[in-house]
């Protein structure tokens, strides 16, 4: 009887966590949506398409879960140590499609003026840094993950090799 009660309590705790820790990183619909959308911007420029990396997706998931834990968006200070580029997005849970999340990064294209990074449009590279990472010619693979606490969704995409290299042109 005690064993059954412990199992039921553990199962209830797992179910509760699953409801507050929604994740997507292996789901084929998620992968197709974020990969196709990122590649649509690369195709517009005649750039090689990105391939999906399960390892980058795992790294992205680790950071997305950290963002859920902290409740705020911030870049992972370890991403460059791992030799990975990174884009992050966050917004109201279940209010945006995967493609809308990626399109948010690509919307920086309107401020982009082709040139050497970071001086692509103005002195603030953050204005175009998400877009330039999407279209960085030397980047060949990406892996993304979405984590949510039910209030906020956090999307993290990792890139290899990383883009936004100071002194280089994106493509």
């Amino acid at each position: 009887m005690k064993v059954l009660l412990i199992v039921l309590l553990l199962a209830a705790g797992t179910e509760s966590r699953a409801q507050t820790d929604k994740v997507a990183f292996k789901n084929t619909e998620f992968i197709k949506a974020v990969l196709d959308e990122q590649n649509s911007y690369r195709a517009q420029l005649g750039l090689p398409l990105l391939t999906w990396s399960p390892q980058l997706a795992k790294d992205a998931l680790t950071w997305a879960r950290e963002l859920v834990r902290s409740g705020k968006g911030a870049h992972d200070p370890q991403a460059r140590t791992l030799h990975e580029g990174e884009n992050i997005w966050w917004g109201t849970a279940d209010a945006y499609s995967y493609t809308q999340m990626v399109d948010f990064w690509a919307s920086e294209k309107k401020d982009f003026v082709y040139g050497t990074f970071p001086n692509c449009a103005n002195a603030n590279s953050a204005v175009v840094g998400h877009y330039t990472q999407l279209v960085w010619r030397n980047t060949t693979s990406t892996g993304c993950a979405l984590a949510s606490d039910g209030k906020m969704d956090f999307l993290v995409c990792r890139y290899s090799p990383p883009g936004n290299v100071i002194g280089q042109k994106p493509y």
Side-chain angles (χ1 to χ4, degrees):
M1 183 67 169
K2 285 183 183 181
V3 171
L4 179 59
L5 181 57
I6 290 171
V7 169
L8 289 174
L9 288 173
L10 288 174
T14 302
E15 182 177 313
S16 172
R17 174 157 167 70
Q19 291 172 353
T20 61
D21 186 22
K22 175 184 77 176
V23 297
F25 77 108
K26 289 185 176 181
N27 174 294
T28 55
E29 178 186 329
F30 169 78
I31 293 169
K32 180 171 176 25
V34 296
L35 187 59
D36 286 354
E37 195 66 9
Q38 291 180 84
N39 279 333
S40 72
Y41 293 100
R42 296 176 68 85
Q44 290 172 18
L45 298 169
L47 298 171
L49 302 182
L50 298 173
T51 60
W52 186 259
S53 165
Q55 182 57 53
L56 290 172
K58 281 179 61 178
D59 293 348
L61 179 61
T62 298
W63 188 246
R65 283 184 164 153
E66 175 59 25
L67 295 177
V68 166
R69 189 198 63 72
S70 71
K72 58 185 176 184
H75 283 285
D76 182 355
Q78 298 300 311
R80 286 290 178 171
T81 303
L82 297 170
H83 305 290
E84 297 173 359
E86 178 182 69
N87 277 343
I88 60 171
W89 176 95
W90 65 95
T92 304
D94 299 319
Y96 299 89
S97 69
Y98 303 138
T99 56
Q100 287 174 315
M101 295 172 190
V102 172
D103 290 344
F104 176 81
W105 300 326
S107 71
E108 295 174 359
K109 179 180 181 177
K110 70 185 180 317
D111 298 316
F112 175 71
V113 175
Y114 187 79
T116 303
F117 190 84
N119 193 16
C120 294
N122 58 44
N124 185 359
S125 65
V127 171
V128 296
H130 298 100
Y131 172 70
T132 54
Q133 176 57 83
L134 277 177
V135 298
W136 201 267
R137 174 180 295 283
N138 295 336
T139 298
T140 59
S141 59
T142 188
C144 306
L146 178 90
S148 181
D149 63 5
K151 296 176 189 166
M152 296 291 288
D153 286 342
F154 294 90
L155 174 67
V156 176
C157 287
R158 293 291 180 89
Y159 302 89
S160 180
N164 294 344
V165 179
I166 293 174
Q168 292 185 10
K169 292 183 177 182
Y171 51 87

